[in-house]
Amino acid sequence: MEWFVSLPAVMQALLGTLFTWGMTALGAALVFTTKNVNQKFLDSMLGFAGGVMIAASFWSLLSPALEMAENSSLPVWLPAAIGFLSGGFFLLIVDKILPHLHPDQPIEKAEGIHPSTKKRSTLLVLAITLHNIPEGLAVGVAFGAVAAGFPSASLTGAIALAIGIGIQNFPEGLAVSMPLRRDGMSRTKSFMYGQFSGLVEPIAAIIGAVSVMFIQPLLPYALSFAAGAMIFVVAEEVIPGSQENGNTDLASISLMIGFVIMMILDVALG
């Protein structure tokens, strides 16, 4: 652990998101071991992922942002409110622009600008990539906050966030690779597309870490921005996707379990 502590924050964020990308790849790799995945399992994992993201949004992002704003001349709630809403509106704009297709949806329901010009595989990858942008940003900002020396930020808390996001990335890789395999794509190509969706997280993490290290007053806004972006993804895609096949009770309980596990990780380690 000492070797990790001694690393620069940018390198810590990079390693943390390489882990989250690895979990995406691990989920996508299930395409090599099974022909089909039980829909109840998929819906429960998606609900679980939503719970992790909701808990991480508060315990790892919004709560530290509120503590950091206590020494500001502004009202304590203002940076968190501005950042949170900005994150949601940013994802809303990206959602309207970026062509993407939710897993298990017909190509006719693709969203964004000119989605009909893209292949189904590309649209699926872009959908999960859209999820992963705020997750990578959140990890990067968390490690950057530690390097900036804020008392409310802790290295163990940033590590807990990376672990939690890594856990919920597992079903996201599977959510891309399995539909592509069902469409007739080879196992290798299905895996490659599935894991590729997680590669945006290290890039977003580096951007987040560098930004808050050099512009420290932005930190409460950046943490809240990442939280707002994640909540938008949960409300707009994750929860509806987990319940559209009728497994509403299972998905809801799984969401609560995911929330509790992420809360325990953050409180126990942070």
Side-chain angles (χ1 to χ4, degrees), residues 23-257:
M23 292 296 291
T24 305
L26 187 62
L30 286 183
V31 76
F32 290 114
T33 63
T34 182
K35 292 183 179 180
N36 204 353
V37 177
N38 184 276
Q39 189 62 51
K40 287 185 177 181
F41 173 75
L42 284 175
D43 291 342
S44 65
M45 289 298 290
L46 200 56
F48 178 89
V52 169
M53 294 174 73
I54 293 172
S57 295
F58 177 75
W59 297 100
S60 299
L61 300 171
L62 278 177
S63 181
L66 290 167
E67 291 182 31
M68 292 172 188
E70 289 180 355
N71 297 323
S72 170
S73 58
L74 298 172
V76 172
W77 52 266
L78 187 60
I82 292 174
F84 186 82
L85 292 175
S86 298
F89 279 114
F90 172 76
L91 258 291
L92 175 63
I93 293 171
V94 174
D95 186 71
K96 296 298 183 184
I97 295 175
L98 186 71
H100 62 283
L101 176 67
H102 299 192
D104 295 322
Q105 291 291 320
I107 191 71
E108 293 78 16
K109 291 191 176 182
E111 301 176 13
I113 297 178
H114 305 306
S116 59
T117 62
K118 306 292 183 182
K119 293 182 178 179
R120 176 179 171 84
S121 55
T122 302
L123 291 170
L124 284 170
V125 171
L126 290 174
I128 304 301
T129 299
L130 183 64
H131 292 193
N132 290 340
I133 292 173
E135 295 167 9
L137 182 64
V139 173
V141 169
F143 281 106
V146 177
F150 283 89
S152 58
S154 69
L155 181 60
T156 50
I159 293 173
L161 177 61
I163 292 172
I165 289 178
I167 292 171
Q168 67 91 35
N169 271 4
F170 181 84
E172 291 188 348
L174 182 62
V176 175
S177 63
M178 196 56 65
L180 293 178
R181 178 58 181 163
R182 287 199 296 264
D183 289 346
M185 186 175 286
S186 69
R187 294 182 190 274
T188 301
K189 282 190 174 182
S190 298
F191 165 75
M192 292 303 295
Y193 276 111
Q195 62 82 32
F196 183 77
S197 63
L199 286 177
V200 70
E201 289 193 3
I203 299 172
I206 292 173
I207 293 173
V210 171
S211 298
V212 299
M213 286 172 61
F214 287 97
I215 315 176
Q216 293 188 16
L218 284 180
L219 189 48
Y221 298 93
L223 287 166
S224 305
F225 181 95
M230 286 210 290
I231 291 297
F232 178 88
V233 169
V234 172
E236 204 267 342
E237 297 189 13
V238 176
I239 292 178
S242 70
Q243 302 197 357
E244 64 186 8
N245 296 295
N247 299 312
T248 55
D249 291 342
L250 177 62
S252 298
I253 291 298
S254 298
L255 183 144
M256 296 178 70
I257 293 172

Side-chain angles (χ1 to χ4, degrees), residues 1-18 140 142-149 155 158-159 209 213:
M1 184 66 178
E2 292 183 2
W3 66 270
F4 187 83
V5 174
S6 63
L7 292 174
V10 172
M11 185 59 65
Q12 291 173 341
L14 176 61
L15 291 177
T17 46
L18 285 178
F143 281 106
V146 177
L155 181 60
I159 293 173
M213 286 172 61

